[in-house]
Amino acid sequence: MVFKRQPGPLGVGGPTVDTVLDAGAVRPGGTLSGRVELAGGTDGHDVEQVVLELVARVETAPGEPGDGEPGSGEPGDGAGVVAFGRYPVGGAFRLAAGERREVPFSVRLPWETPVTELRGRPLGLALGVRAEPAAGGDGDRSDPAPLRVAPLPAQEAVLEAFEQLGFGLRSAALEHGRIGGTGQRLPFRQEIGLTPSARYAHQLDEIELTFLAVPDALEVVLETDKRGGPSSGGGHDALSRFTVPHTGPAGPQDWDDLVDGWIRESVEHRESYDCHAVFGHESPAPSPPSTPSASSTEL
C-alpha cells in the first residue's frame, strides 16, 4: 500500500511543492529530518507558513473520518487518509517567479507512530509526510513522501520473542479508533496479527498485538481470538495489557520468558473481557472488537 506521489501545484501558474525525507528509517519518538522544496511559478507568491503533516492510510468503517483525497479512499469505503501530526517548519517569505527554495526541517515523531517495516521488510502499511504552504491564500499540499518507521528495540524484542515461541506474522493493519482504558493518544492503532504456535493452536485462532509506546515504557496490548468450544457456539476475543520498560524485563527473566508469561496469562483469562495486567497485576479495561486477517507467513 503506497501513496501516490508527485509535486503538488499551488494554483494555476503558482509554485510547486515537494517533500523530501532524509534516507533511512526512523523509530517512534525519533527525529525525522528532510526538506520542503518549493519552486516558483509564473508569478511571485507570498508564502505565509510552511506546515509539515504526518498522515497514514487507515482502515475505517462507514461514517468514520478520513480526508477523502483522490486515490486515498473516500470516507466510509474502508480506507481514508488520517493526519496524526502537524509541525510548523517555515515562516513567511516571498517566493519569486521561477525561484527555487528549500525549507529544512527536523521534527520528532509521536511515540505511537506505527512501525512500517521489520528487519527492513515492509509490512504493507502507508505512512507519509506532506508539506502545506499557505501561498497567496491557497491551501494546497504536496503529495505524501513515504515514511519508513523501524521498531523500537523493545518492540523488536517482543516480536522476536513471539517468533522464538513459534508464532507467525499473519497481517499488519491500521485501524481507526482507540483502545479503551489505555493511554493511547493517536486516533488510530496498529494491529499486528500473529498465528499461534503449535502449543496454542487448539486454543487460539490468532493474537492481535498493539504497541503503545511512551518515552520510558512500552505498553503491549494482546487481543486473543479464541477458538470456540462445542458448547460456546463460536469464539470470542479477550484483551490483556502489559507494560515493560524500554530496557527490558528486570532481573534474570529474558524476553522469551516474559512474552510466554503474557501469552499464558491471556489464555488463562479467555473468559474475561476486561483483563488488564501490568507485570501480572490486573485492573479492568474494555475489549475492542476483533479484526479479520489474511493468510499466515513467518516472522
Side-chain angles (χ1 to χ4, degrees):
M1 183 185 297
V2 296
F3 290 106
K4 175 185 175 184
R5 187 183 179 209
Q6 61 184 14
L10 295 178
V12 177
T16 60
V17 57
D18 197 14
T19 306
V20 181
L21 305 181
D22 289 347
V26 186
R27 285 176 170 168
T31 300
L32 173 69
S33 57
R35 64 189 184 276
V36 178
E37 297 179 346
L38 296 107
T42 56
D43 300 314
H45 274 69
D46 291 316
V47 177
E48 300 165 6
Q49 187 182 46
V50 179
V51 176
L52 207 67
E53 191 172 50
L54 306 178
V55 293
R57 289 203 61 186
V58 178
E59 296 181 9
T60 59
E64 290 183 331
D67 67 11
E69 291 186 337
S72 67
E74 296 294 333
D77 74 349
V81 176
V82 177
F84 64 99
R86 285 178 63 85
Y87 308 87
V89 296
F93 58 87
R94 176 72 176 176
L95 187 68
E99 178 187 359
R100 293 186 176 273
R101 182 179 292 224
E102 293 184 355
V103 179
F105 61 81
S106 180
V107 300
R108 188 169 295 277
L109 291 182
W111 281 94
E112 290 180 17
T113 301
V115 173
T116 67
E117 61 183 56
L118 181 60
R119 299 172 188 154
R121 187 182 70 181
L123 294 177
L125 305 179
L127 299 186
V129 184
R130 63 189 180 190
E132 181 181 334
D138 294 329
D140 292 342
R141 299 167 291 199
S142 70
D143 288 321
L147 173 60
R148 294 173 52 201
V149 183
L152 293 163
Q155 293 172 327
E156 191 165 12
V158 170
L159 290 169
E160 288 180 350
F162 270 104
E163 180 182 14
Q164 291 298 317
L165 295 169
F167 285 72
L169 177 64
R170 170 176 283 175
S171 63
L174 301 182
E175 297 284 342
H176 195 272
R178 291 181 170 87
I179 301 175
T182 69
Q184 182 183 345
R185 294 178 177 272
L186 296 187
F188 58 86
R189 63 196 182 275
Q190 180 174 19
E191 291 185 349
I192 300 173
L194 303 172
T195 56
S197 65
R199 176 181 175 184
Y200 295 104
H202 66 292
Q203 297 170 293
L204 301 174
D205 282 325
E206 75 168 353
I207 287 182
E208 290 180 346
L209 168 67
T210 296
F211 292 122
L212 299 175
V214 293
D216 58 354
L218 178 67
E219 186 172 15
V220 181
V221 181
L222 301 183
E223 186 178 351
T224 51
D225 184 5
K226 306 291 183 178
R227 292 190 182 277
S231 61
S232 68
H236 66 265
D237 295 336
L239 188 71
S240 302
R241 293 164 45 205
F242 308 89
T243 301
V244 63
H246 288 303
T247 53
Q253 188 178 41
D254 62 19
W255 283 104
D256 289 2
D257 288 340
L258 179 65
V259 172
D260 188 51
W262 293 349
I263 299 168
R264 285 187 282 105
E265 184 167 334
S266 298
V267 171
E268 289 169 2
H269 286 84
R270 63 182 178 272
E271 299 302 326
S272 172
Y273 287 87
D274 60 355
C275 171
H276 173 200
V278 179
F279 279 75
H281 302 288
E282 299 174 16
S283 62
S287 171
S290 61
T291 303
S293 49
S295 59
S296 171
T297 60
E298 293 184 357
L299 280 172

